């Protein structure tokens, strides 16, 4: 009986236990942040292996039905995922830890869905909003500098709203476009001008580098792809309002040109026998010491440059319900340039919506951005225009000239004529221009994308997206009829007082239809595939007119008043007009597939067919493909217990194209058709004239790229990073091929030639100090660097050389390698300049063309990258970002002018270096005699070819996040105050304002400023 009773009790107990485990119950709790103990809304809580899931509410609370033994997974972007096994309890509270790897774990692969880095086969880096927002830069591109290995960004201008040059993995073309394709919210952009885009709207920027990621973009992906995602709201989240205000102050960086003061310059002029120091003394002779000592000292840098003030204000509103989210922002940006007369104002609006149906089958998203910018731009920058370029006046004007010498345009002309047309009055010319000239540019920029998708089955989704990129530009220039420049050229055949207006409208429409398949089999096999059809149509219309001759009594800038009509006797006031129109289209169909096995092995492939209207029908279609794979070595059994928390080997190979081959000109015809124009023919009659020979077999440039990379995490993920090795070869380069002169031209454009880029990239992050509890000290060191070697493989012509005077493009050498005569110093016997012949013999009279040699130096850096650290402690943070470039060379024409006594003494200021010039008693020096007879021989020499390598403190930010406990009784959810600086310190041999520039030579360019700012960020 006892045994029978025991058996019954055992059976009941087993049944009770089974019932307990199977019984579903409601589990609730609160999710908080481990860093600051604050509640976390919007956290995903999912029962593992099921479709049951919820999000935490505003107070971090949740409630979900689960059975004992099931696992609850807590996850949110920016925090490490936590898994909890449901036991007998009904309340489970969880703390989430910040994920230092979040940026490295998010990978965007263009048309592919976002995936974790562990399951990505490609070389792609994502930069988050944290390093972009709140910085007083007109363009978000400038904030990316030194953050991504292999991404080289150079601005070379401080003009507000000025463009930067963006290069990924080396220069991939000689005459074509060398910058990547930019895609914002799925809309491919026709240019890289982002002055009208608000950086604070950006959620992330992803840089796609290898063929595995870029080949799916076909004949637009040869130079890499940069994908920009803007901010969106979150489902089931309360209304959130965020306000960011930044005030910045930009100042001129210093030079090391060592300019003379007024006394040094007048003394030098007196000794040289030219200029005021020689002619303004008693009786028209040399000035006395007393006169020189009494001369004024004008700092023309301080006159033409200023401290520019920047204001940036952004208000954003976001939130979401069960089926819809919204993000809206309004922004105002106002930046004064450091150069007087230059500035940028921007008004921006954005509204992003997302939504879904109750059954999650239908989803939609819209992104709408409308922006207007107005900039006053300094023109003639980079030229030698003594009456046009303010930078020339700031750098070279004689300090003994005083601004008080200027009164009116008419008096300036009289002084100019009385002094024999001297250029010594250059700063006064430019003072007059500041008062009598305008150059304004307006831009209206609209971006709209509509996206919808429907789940046909659990695994199959059909979607479509429509994108619109609209840009309208209006530029306006006006020169007063009373300006000095107008009066100076009053006898010209056409009137110099002008008003010009230019209108340009650029509209691009894109349509992409997709069919995506995603399915997992047996919990180990996952397939993600997609098929796409894309069509892009672009249109550009432009017209311009120039009115010559303005009435000084009635003209008003921009009003169209005061136009003087052409008289019957001459054509002096005849206005000129012109118009243009361009259309292009791209039709593509493509597909991709990704396969994953047990999170250990992955394989990807893509193929794309493009048809571009830019080429003749027989050469319109092209095919591009890629293959990629990975091996997650850390998942193997033999890796268990090792120091590696993550280790992945990946590789890819593929092809992509560059359809922007005509000097990078958007919508260029690329010379595929024979064109005629109307012109002057025999005996002055109007005739049809051949303007372009047809080259119907032109096609895009093609780049094939191979990449091998390793991603790793060791020592409990404290040290993490990646290494990549790549080789890119571009063929069918767009070059000018020699042609017999019997065709009335000496060359035509053809696909001829090849080049390659080979390199290594490294990214490292190390948690030097890692907090164990909230408020402890955290410090992460970061580094990225790249080595890229560019080599020309083949160019047109029998010599294999394209001679550009100071640089050459030659087979076996780097693009734009300097080809110059070698400077050998100063002849101690007579103070003349010494040079080397091509064979190495010393001479004072080199053959300017025949004695040039390859220098092995180029404007393209061999090494570039960045490094810095991020620290946090009890709400305080301090972040830095250094940038560097090495083995990069440029010609310093500014220094050449300041050290050339023959051209400048008596006309402009010169460098105090000339005080150490050769004399019979100072024979050992590096400065030639002021009376050297062969200064002209230094043209096309390497005397001023300067090592422009640099290390710069690109960005530093110090701030404080007010603890949430201190503001819990206020309406604010978060409060942040911060100070930051850009371009703070630069270490370089370059003596000018800015070592950073994409040009081979610098001559009176707009300097990049140093910038300090303070900011406040409120969220409520």
């Amino acid at each position: 009986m006892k045994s029978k009773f025991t058996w019954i009790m055992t059976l009941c107990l087993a049944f009770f236990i089974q019932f307990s485990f199977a019984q579903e119950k409601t589990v609730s709790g609160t999710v908080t942040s481990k860093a600051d103990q604050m509640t976390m809304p919007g956290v995903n809580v999912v029962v593992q292996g099921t479709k049951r899931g919820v999000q935490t509410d505003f107070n971090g609370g949740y409630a979900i039905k689960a059975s004992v033994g099931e696992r609850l997974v807590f996850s949110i972007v920016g925090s490490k995922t936590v898994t909890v096994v449901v036991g007998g309890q009904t309340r489970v509270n969880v703390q989430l830890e910040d994920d230092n790897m979040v940026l490295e774990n998010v990978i965007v692969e263009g048309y592919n869905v976002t995936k974790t880095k562990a399951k990505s086969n490609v070389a792609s880096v994502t930069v988050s909003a944290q390093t972009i927002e709140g910085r007083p830069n007109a363009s978000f591109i400038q904030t990316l500098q030194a953050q991504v290995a292999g991404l080289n960004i150079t601005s070379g201008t401080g003009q507000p709203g000025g463009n930067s040059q963006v290069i990924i993995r080396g220069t991939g073309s000689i005459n074509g476009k060398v910058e990547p394709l930019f895609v914002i919210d799925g809309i491919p952009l026709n240019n890289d001008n982002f002055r009208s885009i608000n950086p604070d709207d950006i959620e992330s920027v992803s840089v796609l580098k290898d063929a595995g990621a870029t080949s799916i973009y076909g004949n637009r992906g040869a130079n890499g792809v940069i994908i920009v995602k803007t901010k969106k709201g979150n489902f089931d989240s309360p209304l959130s309002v965020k306000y960011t205000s930044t005030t910045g102050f930009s100042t001129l960086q210093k030079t090391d040109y060592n300019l003379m003061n007024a006394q040094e310059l007048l003394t030098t002029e007196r000794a040289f026998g030219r200029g005021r120091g020689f002619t303004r003394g008693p009786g028209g002779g040399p000035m006395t010491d007393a006169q020189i000592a009494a001369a004024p000292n004008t700092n023309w840098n301080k006159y033409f440059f200023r401290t520019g003030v920047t204001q940036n204000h952004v208000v954003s509103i976001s939130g979401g319900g069960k089926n819809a989210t919204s993000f809206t922002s309004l922004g105002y940006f106002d930046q004064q340039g450091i150069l007087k007369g230059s500035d940028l104002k921007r008004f921006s609006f954005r509204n992003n919506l997302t939504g879904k149906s109750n059954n999650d089958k239908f989803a939609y998203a819209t992104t709408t951005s409308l922006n207007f910018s107005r900039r006053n731009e300094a023109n003639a920058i980079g030229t030698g225009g003594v009456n046009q370029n303010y930078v020339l006046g700031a750098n070279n004007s004689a300090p003994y000239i005083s601004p008080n010498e200027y009164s009116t345009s008419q008096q300036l002309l009289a002084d100019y004529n009385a002094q024999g047309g001297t250029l010594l009055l250059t700063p006064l010319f430019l003072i007059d221009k500041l008062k009598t000239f305008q150059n304004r540019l307006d831009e209206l920029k609209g971006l709209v994308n509509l996206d919808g998708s429907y789940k046909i089955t659990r695994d199959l989704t059909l979607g479509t997206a429509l994108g619109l990129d609209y840009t309208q530009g209006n530029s306006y220039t006006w020169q007063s009829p009373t300006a000095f420049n107008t009066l100076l050229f009053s006898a010209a055949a056409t009137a110099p007082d002008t008003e010009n207006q230019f209108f340009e409208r650029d509209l691009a429409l894109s349509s992409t239809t997709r069919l995506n398949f995603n399915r997992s089999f047996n919990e180990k096999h996952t397939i993600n595939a997609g098929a796409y059809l894309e069509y892009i149509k672009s249109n550009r219309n432009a017209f311009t007119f120039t009115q010559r001759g303005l009435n000084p009594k009635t003209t008003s800038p921009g009003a169209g008043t005061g136009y003087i009509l052409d008289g019957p006797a001459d054509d002096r006031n005849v206005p000129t007009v012109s118009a243009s129109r361009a259309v292009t289209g791209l039709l593509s169909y493509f597909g991709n597939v990704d396969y994953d096995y047990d999170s250990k092995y992955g394989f990807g492939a893509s193929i794309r067919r493009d048809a571009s209207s830019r080429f003749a029908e027989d050469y319109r279609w092209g095919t591009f493909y890629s293959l990629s794979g990975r091996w997650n070595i850390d998942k193997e059994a033999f890796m268990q217990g090792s120091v590696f928390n993550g280790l992945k080997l990946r590789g890819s190979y593929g092809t992509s194209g560059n359809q922007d081959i005509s000097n990078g000109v958007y919508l260029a015809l690329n010379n595929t058709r024979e064109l005629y124009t109307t012109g002057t023919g025999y005996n002055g009659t109007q005739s049809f004239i051949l303007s372009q020979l047809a080259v119907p077999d032109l096609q895009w440039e093609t780049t094939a790229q191979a990449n091998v990379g390793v991603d790793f995490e060791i020592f409990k993920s404290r040290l993490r990073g990646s290494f990549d090795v790549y080789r890119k070869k571009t063929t069918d380069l767009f070059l000018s091929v020699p042609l017999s002169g019997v065709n009335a031209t000496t060359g035509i454009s053809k696909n001829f030639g090849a080049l390659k880029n080979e390199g290594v990239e490294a990214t490292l992050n190390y948690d030097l100090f890692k907090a164990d509890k909230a408020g402890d000290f955290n410090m992460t060191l970061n580094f990225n660097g790249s080595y890229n070697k560019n080599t020309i493989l083949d160019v047109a012509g029998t010599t294999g050389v394209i001679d550009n005077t100071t640089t050459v493009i030659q087979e076996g050498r780097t693009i734009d390698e300097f080809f110059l005569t070698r400077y050998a110093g100063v002849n101690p016997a007579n103070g003349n300049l010494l040079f080397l012949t091509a064979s190495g013999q010393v001479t004072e009279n080199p053959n300017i063309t025949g004695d040039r040699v390859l220098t092995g130096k180029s404007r393209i850096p061999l090494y570039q990258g960045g490094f810095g650290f991020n620290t946090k402690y009890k709400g305080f943070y301090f972040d830095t970002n250094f940038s560097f470039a090495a083995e990069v060379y440029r010609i310093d024409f500014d220094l050449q002018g300041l050290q050339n006594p023959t051209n400048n003494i008596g006309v402009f200021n010169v460098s105090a270096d000339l005080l150490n010039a050769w004399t019979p008693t100072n024979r050992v020096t590096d400065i030639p005699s002021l009376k050297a007879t062969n200064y002209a021989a230094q043209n096309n020499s390497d005397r001023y070819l300067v090592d422009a390598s640099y290390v710069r403190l690109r960005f530093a930010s110090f701030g404080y996040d007010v603890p949430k406990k201190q503001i819990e009784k206020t309406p604010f959810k978060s409060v942040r105050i911060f100070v930051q600086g850009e371009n703070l310190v630069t270490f370089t041999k370059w003596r000018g304002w800015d070592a950073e520039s994409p040009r081979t030579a610098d001559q009176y360019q707009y300097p990049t400023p140093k910038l300090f700012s303070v900011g406040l960020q409120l969220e409520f």
Side-chain angles (χ1 to χ4, degrees):
M1 185 72 181
K2 182 179 179 180
S3 62
K4 189 173 184 181
F5 177 77
T6 302
W7 180 85
I8 294 174
M9 287 299 296
T10 303
L11 181 62
C12 289
L13 181 62
F15 176 78
F16 175 76
I17 293 174
Q18 183 180 8
F19 177 81
S20 297
F21 275 91
Q23 180 65 46
E24 190 176 67
K25 60 183 178 179
T26 298
V27 179
S28 62
T30 303
V31 180
T32 57
S33 169
K34 185 177 181 180
D36 54 19
Q37 310 301 315
M38 299 304 295
T39 58
M40 298 182 64
V43 176
N44 297 305
V45 185
V46 179
V47 179
Q48 192 176 61
T50 73
K51 293 184 177 181
R52 284 174 284 156
V54 296
Q55 283 190 330
T56 57
D57 59 23
F58 179 73
N59 296 314
Y62 75 95
I64 190 171
K65 290 187 177 182
S67 300
V68 175
E70 289 187 316
R71 297 173 181 265
L72 297 181
V73 180
F74 298 81
S75 66
I76 189 173
V77 174
S79 299
K80 293 183 177 180
T81 299
V82 171
T83 302
V84 176
V85 178
V86 177
Q89 75 275 35
T90 59
R91 185 164 185 84
V92 177
N93 296 325
V94 173
Q95 284 190 334
L96 297 186
E97 182 181 354
D98 289 344
D99 188 359
N100 293 326
M101 289 289 289
V102 63
L103 294 185
E104 300 162 73
N105 279 340
V106 177
I107 295 295
V108 177
E109 297 182 7
Y111 295 96
N112 287 358
V113 296
T114 303
K115 56 177 67 178
T116 62
K117 186 168 185 176
K119 292 188 177 182
S120 173
N121 307 337
V122 304
S124 172
V125 177
T126 297
V127 178
S128 78
Q130 295 176 350
T131 62
I132 299 174
E133 63 183 6
R135 293 175 62 173
N137 294 293
S139 171
F140 76 89
I141 285 296
Q142 296 164 346
T143 67
L144 298 180
Q145 189 179 51
Q147 294 203 55
V148 178
L151 178 65
N152 185 22
I153 300 174
T154 52
S155 60
T157 179
Q159 171 70 49
N163 250 0
S164 299
Q165 186 181 71
V166 183
I167 304 292
I168 298 177
R169 290 188 166 182
T171 302
S173 181
I174 293 176
N175 292 320
K177 181 179 179 181
V178 296
E179 295 189 292
L181 170 69
F182 290 88
V183 181
I184 296 184
D185 290 328
I187 306 171
L189 299 193
N190 290 326
N191 53 55
D192 61 351
N193 166 28
F194 301 109
R195 68 177 65 92
S196 296
I197 305 297
N198 183 2
D200 287 80
D201 288 344
I202 293 174
E203 178 67 30
S204 66
V205 178
S206 298
V207 182
L208 313 186
K209 298 187 286 187
D210 70 341
T214 63
S215 289
I216 199 168
Y217 288 92
N219 64 18
R220 299 171 296 158
N223 299 305
V225 181
I226 293 182
I227 297 175
V228 179
K229 300 285 187 181
T230 58
K231 296 176 180 178
K232 295 179 173 62
N234 294 316
F235 289 104
D236 294 318
S237 62
L239 181 69
S240 174
V241 180
K242 186 176 182 180
Y243 170 67
T244 303
S245 174
T246 307
T247 301
F249 304 91
S250 51
T251 58
L252 180 68
Q253 297 190 69
K254 294 182 179 180
T255 69
D256 192 27
Y257 287 145
N258 192 22
L259 298 178
M260 287 188 180
N261 60 31
Q263 286 65 44
E264 291 171 331
L265 182 59
L266 288 170
T267 302
T268 301
E269 289 181 352
R270 184 174 64 181
F272 191 78
R274 190 169 68 193
R276 284 192 180 184
F278 183 69
T279 62
R280 290 295 183 94
M287 294 178 69
T288 65
D289 289 345
Q291 286 177 312
I292 291 176
N297 258 299
T298 302
N299 187 329
W300 288 107
N301 275 343
K302 290 186 177 179
Y303 184 88
F304 287 106
F305 290 102
R306 63 186 173 186
T307 297
V309 179
T310 299
Q311 292 284 336
N312 187 31
H313 302 277
V314 180
V315 177
S316 64
I317 304 172
S318 64
K322 177 182 178 182
N323 294 330
T325 74
S326 174
F327 173 86
T328 302
S329 75
L330 292 170
Y332 172 69
F333 181 85
D334 184 358
Q335 184 175 57
Q336 287 182 331
I338 57 173
L339 194 61
K340 288 183 178 179
S342 63
D343 57 52
L344 170 70
K345 290 182 174 64
R346 177 179 65 218
F347 302 87
S348 61
F349 167 79
R350 173 172 294 279
N351 178 251
N352 292 349
L353 302 174
T354 61
K356 60 182 180 178
S357 61
N358 286 327
N359 60 5
D360 290 335
K361 286 191 173 183
F362 175 71
Y364 67 89
T366 68
T367 61
T368 304
S369 173
L370 187 62
N371 313 275
F372 173 79
S373 67
R374 168 169 290 180
R375 68 189 192 277
N376 289 292
E377 188 170 285
N379 73 332
I381 300 299
T383 72
V386 295
N387 59 338
Q388 298 290 341
N389 188 350
Y390 301 126
V391 180
L392 184 153
N395 191 55
N396 287 44
S397 293
Y400 54 72
I401 301 290
S402 170
N404 296 330
E405 294 184 35
Y406 175 84
S407 57
T408 65
S409 303
Q410 293 78 6
Q411 184 60 49
L412 178 57
L413 178 64
D415 294 341
Y416 174 77
N417 290 330
Q419 297 180 35
T422 177
L423 299 183
L424 192 63
L425 300 178
T426 284
L428 307 185
F429 303 160
L430 297 169
I431 290 176
D432 185 85
K433 182 183 176 183
L434 279 172
K435 299 175 182 292
T436 60
F437 182 83
Q438 288 189 16
N439 184 35
R440 189 186 71 220
L441 300 95
D442 293 346
E443 182 178 86
L444 178 65
K445 181 76 171 181
L447 294 171
V448 178
N449 190 54
L450 310 176
D451 188 287
S453 64
Y454 183 79
K455 285 189 176 182
I456 302 173
T457 67
R458 186 184 66 176
D459 308 319
L460 197 62
T461 303
L462 177 66
T464 188
L466 298 174
L468 180 148
D469 175 10
Y470 178 81
T471 306
Q472 178 178 301
N474 298 75
S475 66
Y476 171 81
T477 58
W478 174 84
Q479 180 171 295
S480 169
T482 61
F484 167 77
N485 287 329
T486 300
L487 301 175
L488 181 64
F489 299 103
S490 60
T494 57
D497 46 330
T498 61
E499 180 175 276
N500 171 269
Q501 295 202 34
F502 173 74
F503 174 83
E504 180 181 46
R505 182 172 57 211
D506 184 1
L507 175 65
L509 296 171
S510 59
S511 169
T512 304
T513 301
R514 62 189 184 273
L515 184 64
N516 296 104
F517 176 81
N518 187 291
R519 187 170 182 179
S520 296
F521 304 88
N522 301 325
E523 298 184 356
K524 289 189 175 183
H525 305 273
T526 301
I527 294 178
N528 182 13
Y532 305 83
L533 176 66
E534 186 171 75
Y535 178 68
I536 300 174
K537 186 76 170 183
S538 300
N539 294 267
R540 171 172 289 180
N541 297 87
F543 68 83
T544 182
F545 81 88
T546 302
Q547 165 64 27
R548 302 182 184 278
L550 304 172
N551 190 320
K553 296 181 180 180
T554 56
T555 183
S556 177
T561 59
Y563 288 5
I564 299 176
L565 301 178
D566 177 44
D570 60 68
D571 293 327
R572 194 169 188 274
N573 299 318
V574 173
T576 58
V577 296
S578 66
S580 64
R581 179 173 180 265
V583 180
T584 188
L586 181 69
L587 175 65
S588 311
Y589 55 91
F590 50 101
N592 68 318
V593 60
D594 280 293
Y595 169 74
D596 172 75
Y597 174 74
D598 200 22
S599 299
K600 289 184 180 180
Y601 314 106
F603 172 80
S606 71
I607 187 168
R608 176 166 179 144
R609 287 276 288 168
D610 279 335
S612 174
S613 66
R614 304 188 186 201
F615 307 103
E617 188 172 349
D618 291 342
Y619 295 89
R620 183 162 294 170
W621 285 94
T623 302
F624 308 92
Y625 69 92
S626 71
L627 300 172
S628 62
R630 61 176 165 81
W631 176 24
N632 296 82
I633 305 174
D634 59 292
K635 301 296 183 181
E636 299 292 349
F638 61 81
M639 291 293 293
Q640 302 307 309
S642 71
V643 296
F644 286 92
N645 307 103
L647 181 62
K648 179 180 66 175
L649 177 66
R650 51 182 165 75
S652 66
Y653 180 83
T655 60
S656 51
N658 182 11
Q659 68 173 357
D660 296 309
I661 60 176
S662 184
N663 297 317
V665 178
Y666 167 63
L667 294 183
L669 294 175
N670 292 336
N671 301 41
T672 59
R673 296 186 295 172
E674 189 169 274
L675 299 178
Y676 293 83
T677 188
T678 301
T680 303
Y682 176 73
N683 200 25
T685 60
Q686 184 168 299
S687 306
F688 290 107
I689 298 173
L690 178 67
S691 63
Q692 176 178 286
L693 288 174
V695 189
D697 59 347
L698 281 179
Q699 55 185 322
W700 45 76
E701 299 173 343
T702 300
T703 297
Q705 181 178 186
N707 185 96
V708 176
V710 175
D711 302 322
F712 66 91
E713 301 174 33
I714 59 176
F715 308 133
K716 297 182 180 179
S717 297
R718 292 189 72 156
L719 176 61
R720 52 199 180 272
S722 62
F723 293 96
D724 282 89
V725 180
Y726 64 87
R727 185 178 189 273
K728 295 168 58 178
K729 181 179 180 181
T730 304
T731 56
D732 295 327
L733 290 176
F734 187 68
L735 299 175
S736 179
V737 177
L739 188 68
S740 171
V742 72
N743 296 284
T745 182
T746 57
I748 58 173
S749 297
K750 297 277 288 184
N751 292 109
F752 188 101
L755 63 81
K756 68 177 178 180
N757 286 279
E758 299 173 303
V760 179
E761 297 170 350
T763 301
L764 296 171
N765 295 278
Y766 179 65
D767 296 326
L768 186 62
F769 299 97
K770 193 171 184 179
D772 293 325
K773 59 182 180 179
D776 282 358
F777 185 67
N778 283 275
M779 186 175 191
T780 300
L781 308 179
N782 55 73
F783 168 85
N784 73 81
S786 66
Y787 163 86
N788 181 83
K789 176 65 175 176
N790 176 282
T791 306
I792 303 296
L793 301 177
D794 189 17
V795 295
T798 57
T799 62
V801 177
I802 300 176
D803 191 342
N804 296 318
T805 307
T806 58
T807 62
V808 296
I809 296 172
Q810 179 171 325
E811 294 172 0
R813 313 293 295 198
T814 300
I815 192 171
D816 282 342
E817 183 173 342
F818 287 99
F819 187 47
L820 302 166
T821 306
R822 290 168 289 177
Y823 177 66
V826 178
N827 189 339
N830 58 14
N832 279 345
L833 291 77
L834 294 176
F835 303 89
L836 297 180
T837 65
S839 60
Q841 302 299 312
V842 178
T843 179
E844 289 185 1
N845 301 295
N847 185 311
I848 293 179
T849 57
D851 285 327
R852 291 177 299 161
V853 297
L854 290 166
T855 62
K857 301 173 181 178
S858 170
R859 64 173 176 83
I860 301 174
L862 200 61
Y863 306 93
Q864 63 90 27
F867 59 92
F869 59 80
N870 307 100
T871 60
K872 289 183 179 180
Y873 179 68
K874 294 186 181 297
F876 291 95
Y877 68 89
F878 182 38
D879 302 332
T880 65
N881 175 220
F882 289 81
S883 61
F884 69 87
E887 291 295 315
V888 52
Y889 296 86
R890 302 206 319 279
I891 297 176
D892 191 346
F893 278 135
D894 290 350
L895 181 60
Q896 179 175 343
L898 292 169
Q899 288 188 348
N900 191 327
T902 303
N903 295 337
N904 281 358
I905 290 182
V907 180
F908 297 113
N909 200 358
V910 291
S911 172
D913 298 347
L914 296 186
L915 298 176
N916 190 37
W918 180 96
T919 65
T921 58
N922 182 36
R923 295 177 179 273
V924 182
T925 177
D926 60 346
I927 303 296
S929 168
L930 299 185
K931 296 296 181 70
T933 60
N934 63 340
Y935 268 103
Q938 71 180 1
N939 297 330
N940 296 340
S941 79
D942 66 355
R943 183 182 179 190
Y944 294 99
L945 181 61
V946 181
D947 182 356
S949 303
Y950 68 88
V951 175
R952 167 179 290 168
L953 178 51
R954 179 66 181 86
F955 177 69
S957 178
F958 175 76
Y960 179 63
D961 291 309
V962 179
K964 294 186 178 181
K965 290 184 179 180
Q966 296 183 16
I967 58 174
E968 59 184 6
K969 294 183 180 180
T970 71
F972 302 110
K973 289 194 293 185
S974 66
V975 176
R976 167 177 287 189
I977 54 177
F978 56 88
V979 295
Q980 50 194 16
E982 313 227 4
N983 304 322
L984 296 178
V985 182
T986 304
F987 306 94
T988 181
K989 295 179 181 178
W990 184 263
R991 295 180 63 178
W993 280 299
D994 193 0
E996 175 194 317
S997 174
R999 290 176 286 269
T1000 58
D1002 264 15
Q1003 183 175 29
Y1004 315 123
Q1005 297 290 342
Y1006 196 132
T1008 301
K1010 183 183 298 184
L1011 202 154
F1012 299 90
S1013 60
V1014 296
L1016 172 67
Q1017 190 176 89
L1018 304 173
E1019 187 175 4
F1020 51 91

